[in-house]
Amino acid sequence: MKTPIQLQQQNLAALKNGLPVPTYNRADNKIGIVHIGVGGFHRAHEAYYLQQLRQLGEASDWGICGIGLREADAKLHDIFKKQDHLYTLMVKHPDGKIEPEVIGSIVDFKMGVTDPEPVIARMADADTRIVSLTITEGGYNFNPTTGEFNFDNPDIQHELRHPNDPRTVYGFLTAALQRRRDNGLPAFTILICDNIEHNGDMARKMLLTFAEVQNPPLATWIAQEVRFPNSMVDRITPVTTPADIETLAQDFGVIDAWPVTCEPFIQWVVEDKFSNGRPAFEKVGVQFVPDVGPYEKMKLRLLNAGHSVLGLLGVLHGHPTINACMEDETFVTYLRAFMDTEATPILGDIEGIDLDDYKDTLLQRFANPNIKDSVNRICSESSAKLPKFLIATIHENIATGGSIKFATLVIAAWCYYSDKGMDRHGHPIEISDAMGTELHEAAKQTTTDPLAFIRQESLFGTLVKNERFTKLYTEAVQQIYEDPNIKKYMKELM
Ligand code: CS2
């Protein structure tokens, strides 16, 4: 066993015997990208692509400065400080092999919570040319059904009155863009990397709606100058566990307080419209296309929805992880049936993609036994995810007369889960959802009003008025409440 070494810039030479480390000069890396929301996903995806570019001797103008806009980001801030913003990415292969690599493309990190000024200054700096975001599907402050911006949010109200004291991403973006405009600097590109269909168009609409109230002349400038490329991002990135930290120290000799684990697969499809230049990402496998819409839809309605199908049914059954679900024949068959009969028909043809191959690959990725992606991660924030991943598909299939039974059972399982917070054995489930209280309040009325859960209009829209859906849903929810043995009902539908 090696004596583990603390991950730090000065120790890279010593670490390099055990694993790949950045070989480029991090000190002369200009900051070209400001990234808001430095979770595991960003560190396994955009930051990884940039590392690859830097290893090729490219992109020295494109260092990343991470930004934390939540109190909880202080943990990463402190770890990064100690580790010179270095971290280890542990790629986990299905055969059990782990390939770690030290990533150095993030060169700075700033917290915007207590002191917004340094963050605004960084975003407004002439070197910054892209501001990218992974603030989660629920982070964009809009009503999931109507798609309208939520002006009732107290932080948004505060920012409207105090443009120089931003709290949300909208306030930071307008403060920085106003400063760039004042200083005669070109706008940056706003690059969204969250799982939302037309994510760039959505962000543009939200930011313009906000800016039109806060600062109308700036809104006009943003509309003309800022590009918002749509993008489809993909890499399964489970939550880091204490066992991962331990493995890294024991087997690879690295002390890293917060490594990131991920699958080998990676994909990024982006529209090539940038306000002020971009790294040569095509050299490391990023696909640039004129219209990302069909790719986004395919990924959200197959991968993300597929995850939710396994997650919500699996959590009720008592499967701890996605790969555990995939070891269960009933779950695999059910998932494939959902994909083939409910998701695929609404996708149509996608140029250059064989959907059967895509689905086969997805099943293999989900089954990776080394990934151990917890169903709790998948079920977290379902209120922000399901309207886009699954409920949209139900609406579209209702319109075309397509099948909806597989997705409907998942909604019924979600209701039971939100109400009881336990699996079929009565074991408690840890639920994490910004709308957790509302979901619970609505779900717990199910015994007296079977449709109570789907009366939540912001999530389900007019679904409660559709007889075909309500009939299937009522039956499913009544069965689950009588006996939560979910597999029985899954089998009955196949
Ligand atoms: C998952 C995603 O959160 C979820 O529900 O489906 O995080 C998924 O792992 C990524 O989008 C993969 O690209």
Side-chain angles (χ1 to χ4, degrees):
M1 198 192 91
K2 300 170 190 161
T3 311
I5 301 174
Q6 173 62 48
L7 181 56
Q8 255 169 7
Q9 182 69 32
Q10 63 179 24
N11 294 340
L12 287 185
L15 283 166
K16 124 169 156 243
N17 299 325
L19 75 175
V21 301
T23 51
Y24 47 90
N25 180 359
R26 295 178 73 223
D28 72 357
N29 204 182
K30 264 197 201 168
I31 288 169
I33 298 178
V34 168
H35 184 82
I36 305 178
V38 186
F41 182 75
H42 171 71
R43 297 202 274 155
H45 195 259
E46 185 178 349
Y48 171 74
Y49 276 116
L50 269 152
Q51 159 106 343
Q52 284 185 295
L53 267 183
R54 293 256 32 216
Q55 298 285 48
L56 293 176
E58 303 260 345
S60 58
D61 286 356
W62 294 102
I64 301 173
C65 172
I67 303 292
L69 296 186
R70 304 167 314 146
E71 303 276 358
D73 296 319
K75 179 179 168 195
L76 184 64
H77 178 257
D78 295 346
I79 292 173
F80 265 177
K81 208 163 168 186
K82 183 164 176 201
Q83 300 186 174
D84 300 317
H85 308 97
L86 293 164
Y87 62 94
T88 320
L89 185 64
M90 302 168 73
V91 179
K92 294 186 169 181
H93 293 266
D95 63 1
K97 198 172 89 192
I98 298 177
E99 265 184 302
E101 174 173 350
V102 175
I103 309 289
S105 49
I106 301 179
V107 288
D108 194 7
F109 188 90
K110 293 190 189 307
M111 288 290 288
V113 185
T114 40
D115 186 9
E117 176 50 34
V119 173
I120 303 172
R122 172 44 67 200
M123 290 165 76
D125 191 281
D127 286 346
T128 301
R129 293 190 278 160
I130 294 176
V131 173
S132 56
L133 276 77
T134 43
I135 55 172
T136 78
E137 292 75 44
Y140 290 88
N141 192 53
F142 63 81
N143 175 313
T145 290
T146 61
E148 293 309 321
F149 191 76
N150 173 19
F151 278 104
D152 296 337
N153 178 342
D155 286 339
I156 296 286
Q157 283 299 324
H158 173 88
E159 291 173 328
L160 291 178
R161 288 191 303 272
H162 306 282
N164 292 319
D165 185 27
R167 292 181 175 172
T168 78
V169 61
Y170 295 103
F172 277 96
L173 288 170
T174 52
L177 286 165
Q178 178 61 47
R179 200 169 295 179
R180 294 183 82 91
R181 188 175 177 227
D182 290 344
N183 294 341
L185 289 173
F188 45 66
T189 300
I190 298 181
L191 179 57
I192 309 297
C193 302
D194 282 298
N195 293 308
I196 301 172
E197 240 166 295
H198 311 300
N199 53 14
D201 299 342
M202 172 282 302
R204 180 174 194 273
K205 179 176 158 198
M206 294 306 132
L207 184 62
L208 286 178
T209 307
F210 173 78
E212 269 152 20
V213 177
Q214 193 201 41
N215 180 346
L218 179 67
T220 309
W221 190 77
I222 294 174
Q224 280 160 5
E225 304 296 329
V226 181
R227 299 284 167 274
F228 297 76
N230 292 305
S231 93
M232 179 269 244
V233 294
D234 194 5
R235 190 170 219 184
I236 295 173
T237 310
V239 177
T240 307
T241 64
D244 295 319
I245 297 175
E246 189 64 24
T247 303
L248 198 58
Q250 296 287 321
D251 299 353
F252 300 97
V254 188
I255 301 174
D256 180 344
W258 203 342
V260 177
T261 69
C262 65
E263 63 170 340
F265 183 93
I266 186 164
Q267 193 176 20
W268 199 2
V269 189
V270 193
E271 288 171 1
D272 201 357
K273 43 177 197 185
F274 285 71
S275 323
N276 193 6
R278 63 164 174 83
F281 280 129
E282 68 281 4
K283 293 192 179 163
V284 287
V286 176
Q287 290 162 262
F288 286 94
V289 297
D291 175 12
V292 109
Y295 296 88
E296 282 177 319
K297 190 165 178 179
M298 168 184 80
K299 194 249 166 172
L300 295 170
R301 307 299 184 90
L302 287 169
L303 186 150
N304 297 111
H307 257 164
S308 299
V309 167
L310 294 179
L312 282 161
L313 300 175
V315 82
L316 219 57
H317 179 77
H319 285 315
T321 58
I322 293 297
N323 55 289
C325 296
M326 295 299 287
E327 280 162 24
D328 184 331
E329 206 39 53
T330 307
F331 277 74
V332 178
T333 317
Y334 192 92
L335 175 64
R336 188 73 198 212
F338 160 76
M339 287 180 170
D340 289 343
T341 59
E342 300 187 358
T344 308
I346 56 167
L347 294 177
D349 284 339
I350 303 168
E351 211 192 304
I353 299 271
D354 179 329
L355 279 178
D356 279 324
D357 282 356
Y358 184 80
K359 287 183 277 190
D360 291 344
T361 307
L362 275 188
L363 297 191
Q364 285 163 16
R365 292 169 62 194
F366 287 173
N368 183 337
N370 208 14
I371 280 288
K372 300 189 180 60
D373 198 4
S374 71
V375 287
N376 283 344
R377 177 183 88 86
I378 299 302
C379 297
S380 70
E381 305 307 331
S382 281
S383 63
K385 296 172 181 175
L386 293 194
K388 298 166 195 87
F389 300 171
L390 197 68
I391 300 168
T393 296
I394 301 180
H395 281 293
E396 285 172 52
N397 277 321
I398 285 175
T400 59
S403 165
I404 55 170
K405 62 183 182 183
F406 296 116
T408 302
L409 183 66
V410 179
I411 304 294
W414 184 28
C415 172
Y416 185 86
Y417 160 95
S418 308
D419 180 0
K420 308 285 182 192
M422 56 191 190
D423 68 13
R424 75 189 161 110
H425 305 295
H427 297 144
I429 303 169
E430 180 198 323
I431 300 182
S432 150
D433 197 303
M435 276 185 70
T437 312
E438 288 103 305
L439 292 169
H440 175 71
E441 288 303 316
K444 79 176 195 212
Q445 293 167 41
T446 302
T447 36
T448 49
D449 170 11
L451 297 178
F453 192 63
I454 54 162
R455 289 191 206 285
Q456 301 177 92
E457 214 185 328
S458 74
L459 302 173
F460 296 102
T462 54
L463 222 45
V464 72
K465 299 203 177 95
N466 182 276
E467 261 181 55
R468 185 154 76 96
F469 174 78
T470 53
K471 190 163 170 285
L472 279 172
Y473 174 82
T474 308
E475 225 173 83
V477 91
Q478 277 169 349
Q479 284 175 328
I480 299 175
Y481 271 72
E482 229 161 77
D483 172 9
N485 182 3
I486 193 73
K487 259 169 92 164
K488 191 160 87 189
Y489 316 119
M490 292 166 71
K491 284 183 188 150
E492 279 167 16
L493 293 182
M494 297 192 280

